[in-house]
Amino acid sequence: MKGKEGQVTNVSPRDEVRKSRMYYDKALKFLDTDVSDSSFFYFELAKGEFLAEKDSTMAATCLVQMAITLFYEGDYYGSQETSIEADKLLDKTDTAHHNLMAMNYNCLGNAISGYGNHNKAIQYYDLAIQYSRDANNSATYLNNKAVTYYYDKQYQQAYTIYEEVLKNTADGTLDYARALSNYANTRWHIDKKYNPLPDLHKALSIRRANNNLWGVSASVSHLYNFHKNRHPDSARFYAKMSYELADKLGNPNDKINALDRLIRVGKTDSLKYYFSMYTALTDSIRVARLKASNQFAVIRYEVEKSKKENAILQNAVLDRDLKMAKQRALVVGMTVLGICTMAFFLYWNDKNKKQLRLEAENLIKENKLKTSKKVHDVVANGIYRVMSEIEYGEELDREDLLDKLEVLYEKSRDISYEQEEEEQGEEEVSFAQEIAALIKSFGRDNLKVLIVGNDDVWSFVKPVIKKELFPIIQELMVNMNKHSGATEVILKFQIEEGQLSLSYSDNGVGLPHDMKKGNGWINTGNRINNLNGQVIFGEEPKRGTHIQVIIPLN
């Protein structure tokens, strides 16, 4: 959010050279050179190592920095989720954690304010101020709170904060210039007799004298705000200056704001030019933010995947050693058996033959079960593909055909549940592929769907839950396709504290307050209730749809 500040300070890990320290140091180096994707990657690796070492403080430090990175990349929801993950590792009763907790709450406030929930953001700024043990950081959190009040048009509350900050700040410093400019910019909204220009120009002079271009940009924005409805020529002058500064600083968000100002106060012959620049820039930023969000989600996925592959390799080494030990034991055993009597040998040979026959019979049964399961998967997936095609066809009684095919689909799945056992690995892959196929069936040129966690969670989920979860996800996608008008959809699966969480978000029209539930939603609710689960709907209409389904795994 423009005007808000806050960064995790370097927290030194232990002195021993180990993987966690190596990853952490690499992350800091990339962070210092603004290579955000690489720093994010190594913070994720370091976090995993710190957790393995039971160092929750350093793991939380990594998560807080990752949350700040996601915020600056425009992924506000990802930043919020990462901050919440960090909060779970921190102990409010441990004063050594308080500064880090304050930084994390400040990041949460920035992220939540970033998508418009200013009142909730202010609560987190209050927590940041409460737990802060650093005066400079406390001033930053207080400033962020006042900025949020200003954005929410609660000018009196913002003015009260700036007035107090101004009294306690040394004249002539950059902190004083920031406080003075914010104070003047807020006061004239309340006191119509007050002339803010002397204070605004004084703040601008201090910032120019210190070559503080970001501060100069903020002062110019405040001068534009004052002139826009009073002096059009002055407003145009400061709008152009604002654009030049944003271009010099390489800040696309400030460039968009400056172009918006030029469109509002510019001359008629320039409006088309400014508007075309504004449209192109907003489109490029939207695409860049979406790519960044996907990029960081992929980074976390690849790190987890790498951890699993390493674990598999370690197990393979252990298996090899175990086999070698068994082979040595077998040689010793055969030497001992050679001393045994012929009668005992015959007895053992007969028993071994019986055992081999039993194993052969079991192998045949196992192959039959595998064959049956493969038939089920092929049939069930085939039926669902037909359902998807019918759903997007034309001039068909869709509801009737879907109901009939769903019955056939459920029956085909029941075939596998009647068997004596399942192969967990194959079932995991099958269900993940079914989910991917389901989402893909709703794809179209103007819709982008991101799936997170689809390959990670299903080994921990019982078949009966997956059986009910599939139509739940299908119902969410059907409603999205019919009603939301969304162009971006995010589905996230994760397991936390023994519960499966399905988070659904889109950027469509949102859910109306007076939404009437049809048969699809009623059936979905019944399925969730049968699993002792719950549905949490996002609180804000007209900001997209946000739904979370939580199902206990036990």
Side-chain angles (χ1 to χ4, degrees):
M1 180 174 292
K2 182 181 174 184
K4 296 189 178 180
E5 304 167 7
Q7 189 77 319
V8 174
T9 56
N10 292 354
V11 180
S12 297
R14 299 168 188 170
D15 293 331
E16 308 98 271
V17 176
R18 57 186 190 273
K19 279 187 179 180
S20 56
R21 174 62 184 266
M22 179 182 67
Y23 293 148
Y24 185 83
D25 288 345
K26 282 188 176 181
L28 291 179
K29 288 180 181 178
F30 283 118
L31 185 65
D32 290 339
T33 55
D34 293 326
V35 186
S36 58
D37 54 349
S38 295
S39 69
F40 188 93
F41 175 79
Y42 282 106
F43 275 127
E44 175 70 20
L45 286 175
K47 178 207 73 176
E49 295 296 330
F50 283 127
L51 287 175
E53 297 166 6
K54 302 189 183 303
D55 190 343
S56 61
T57 303
M58 287 305 301
T61 300
C62 295
L63 285 167
V64 173
Q65 186 58 67
M66 291 162 66
I68 292 173
T69 298
L70 291 170
F71 168 75
Y72 283 125
E73 293 294 335
D75 185 2
Y76 301 139
Y77 288 104
S79 176
Q80 177 183 331
E81 290 180 351
T82 306
S83 286
I84 291 173
E85 186 179 351
D87 186 60
K88 294 176 181 178
L89 298 176
L90 296 171
D91 183 1
K92 294 179 175 60
T93 63
D94 187 348
T95 56
H97 287 189
H98 284 186
N99 266 333
L100 185 58
M101 288 172 56
M103 295 172 193
N104 195 40
Y105 286 135
N106 179 66
C107 183
L108 266 171
N110 289 346
I112 293 171
S113 183
Y115 57 76
N117 192 347
H118 299 306
N119 288 332
K120 190 68 174 178
I122 287 169
Q123 296 176 22
Y124 282 107
Y125 291 135
D126 286 336
L127 286 171
I129 295 166
Q130 174 187 341
Y131 285 101
S132 176
R133 298 296 180 267
D134 182 277
N136 291 331
N137 287 347
S138 296
T140 296
Y141 308 151
L142 191 62
N143 180 75
N144 289 351
K145 179 181 177 181
V147 170
T148 304
Y149 272 133
Y150 180 86
Y151 286 159
D152 204 34
K153 297 183 179 180
Q154 299 185 54
Y155 300 122
Q156 184 60 55
Q157 289 87 335
Y159 170 74
T160 301
I161 293 174
Y162 289 134
E163 186 178 35
E164 185 64 26
V165 171
L166 196 60
K167 290 178 182 178
N168 298 302
T169 308
D171 193 352
T173 63
L174 284 175
D175 287 340
Y176 179 85
R178 179 180 68 182
L180 181 63
S181 189
N182 287 330
Y183 165 86
N185 183 55
T186 306
R187 181 177 172 183
W188 68 262
H189 285 87
I190 304 169
D191 184 359
K192 301 305 179 183
K193 296 181 181 180
Y194 166 69
N195 179 13
L197 292 178
D199 288 336
L200 289 175
H201 283 291
K202 180 179 179 180
L204 177 59
S205 297
I206 295 172
R207 284 167 158 171
R208 280 177 170 166
N210 287 273
N211 196 30
N212 178 223
L213 293 183
W214 288 99
V216 170
S217 178
S219 288
V220 168
S221 296
H222 292 165
L223 285 163
Y224 164 82
N225 289 338
F226 179 75
H227 286 296
K228 66 180 178 182
N229 294 323
R230 293 175 174 82
H231 313 109
D233 290 339
S234 296
R236 275 192 294 274
F237 172 78
Y238 287 115
K240 289 179 180 178
M241 185 183 296
S242 180
Y243 181 82
E244 291 170 359
L245 284 165
D247 190 48
K248 187 173 183 179
L249 291 167
N251 188 317
N253 289 324
D254 280 0
K255 288 177 71 173
I256 286 177
N257 291 332
L259 286 169
D260 178 69
R261 293 165 188 158
L262 287 169
I263 291 170
R264 292 176 185 275
V265 300
K267 294 182 179 180
T268 304
D269 56 354
S270 303
L271 295 182
K272 184 176 180 181
Y273 171 72
Y274 292 142
F275 186 76
S276 64
M277 292 177 65
Y278 177 88
T279 302
L281 190 55
T282 52
D283 287 344
S284 66
I285 288 178
R286 182 182 63 80
V287 172
R289 284 183 172 176
L290 183 60
K291 286 182 178 179
S293 177
N294 292 344
Q295 175 189 22
F296 289 113
V298 169
I299 287 174
R300 300 193 79 166
Y301 168 76
E302 290 296 337
V303 170
E304 291 302 319
K305 183 179 178 182
S306 177
K307 290 178 182 177
K308 290 182 179 178
E309 290 175 349
N310 288 337
I312 292 172
L313 288 174
Q314 291 174 0
N315 289 335
V317 172
L318 292 174
D319 288 343
R320 182 195 62 191
D321 293 342
L322 181 61
K323 287 180 180 178
M324 291 177 64
K326 287 182 177 179
Q327 289 174 354
R328 287 193 294 268
L330 181 60
V331 171
V332 174
M334 291 181 65
T335 302
V336 173
L337 287 174
I339 304 173
C340 295
T341 63
M342 184 61 68
F344 180 79
F345 173 79
L346 293 174
Y347 169 78
W348 178 86
N349 187 53
D350 182 63
K351 184 178 180 180
N352 188 53
K353 288 181 180 179
K354 291 180 179 179
Q355 182 66 27
L356 289 174
R357 284 196 299 269
L358 180 60
E359 289 178 357
E361 292 172 357
N362 290 336
L363 182 60
I364 292 172
K365 289 181 181 180
E366 182 180 355
N367 288 335
K368 287 182 178 179
L369 289 177
K370 288 183 180 178
T371 302
S372 175
K373 187 176 185 302
K374 289 179 182 178
V375 170
H376 151 69
D377 287 339
V378 172
V379 174
N381 288 338
I383 292 174
Y384 180 69
R385 292 192 193 97
V386 174
M387 290 174 65
S388 298
E389 293 173 5
I390 293 174
E391 185 174 359
Y392 291 100
E394 297 180 355
E395 299 181 358
L396 293 171
D397 187 354
R398 295 180 181 137
E399 296 297 328
D400 182 62
L401 289 172
L402 284 172
D403 288 342
K404 292 178 180 179
L405 286 174
E406 187 174 2
V407 171
L408 293 174
Y409 178 76
E410 296 295 341
K411 287 182 177 180
S412 68
R413 290 190 64 83
D414 290 340
I415 295 172
S416 67
Y417 299 144
E418 294 172 1
Q419 306 304 324
E420 294 178 1
E421 59 181 353
E422 296 181 7
E423 291 181 20
Q424 187 65 26
E426 291 185 4
E427 196 275 338
E428 281 178 32
V429 174
S430 174
F431 191 73
Q433 290 175 347
E434 287 180 24
I435 293 296
L438 170 63
I439 302 305
K440 183 178 179 182
S441 69
F442 290 92
R444 55 181 186 270
D445 291 340
N446 63 344
L447 175 63
K448 296 181 179 179
V449 182
L450 173 64
I451 314 175
V452 180
N454 187 35
D455 295 325
D456 301 331
V457 301
W458 303 122
S459 61
F460 305 98
V461 181
K462 295 178 181 178
V464 66
I465 295 177
K466 285 181 275 192
K467 178 181 177 182
E468 296 293 332
L469 189 62
F470 191 93
I472 291 172
I473 299 171
Q474 180 173 276
E475 182 65 23
L476 288 173
M477 296 302 295
V478 168
N479 277 278
M480 175 279 299
N481 198 46
K482 288 182 177 179
H483 307 299
S484 74
T487 60
E488 298 172 6
V489 175
I490 299 175
L491 274 172
K492 181 175 181 181
F493 305 97
Q494 61 182 352
I495 293 175
E496 292 182 330
E497 299 180 354
Q499 294 182 323
L500 172 66
S501 170
L502 160 62
S503 298
Y504 169 92
S505 299
D506 68 40
N507 65 346
V509 299
L511 298 173
H513 287 298
D514 56 348
M515 181 185 72
K516 295 182 179 179
K517 295 183 178 179
N519 290 333
W521 273 115
I522 293 173
N523 290 338
T524 297
N526 290 337
R527 292 179 187 277
I528 296 171
N529 289 335
N530 290 339
L531 296 173
N532 296 319
Q534 59 176 322
V535 183
I536 302 173
F537 291 91
E539 298 177 355
E540 297 181 50
K542 299 183 180 179
R543 292 186 182 276
T545 300
H546 310 288
I547 299 174
Q548 185 177 24
V549 178
I550 299 175
I551 298 171
L553 296 178
N554 294 328

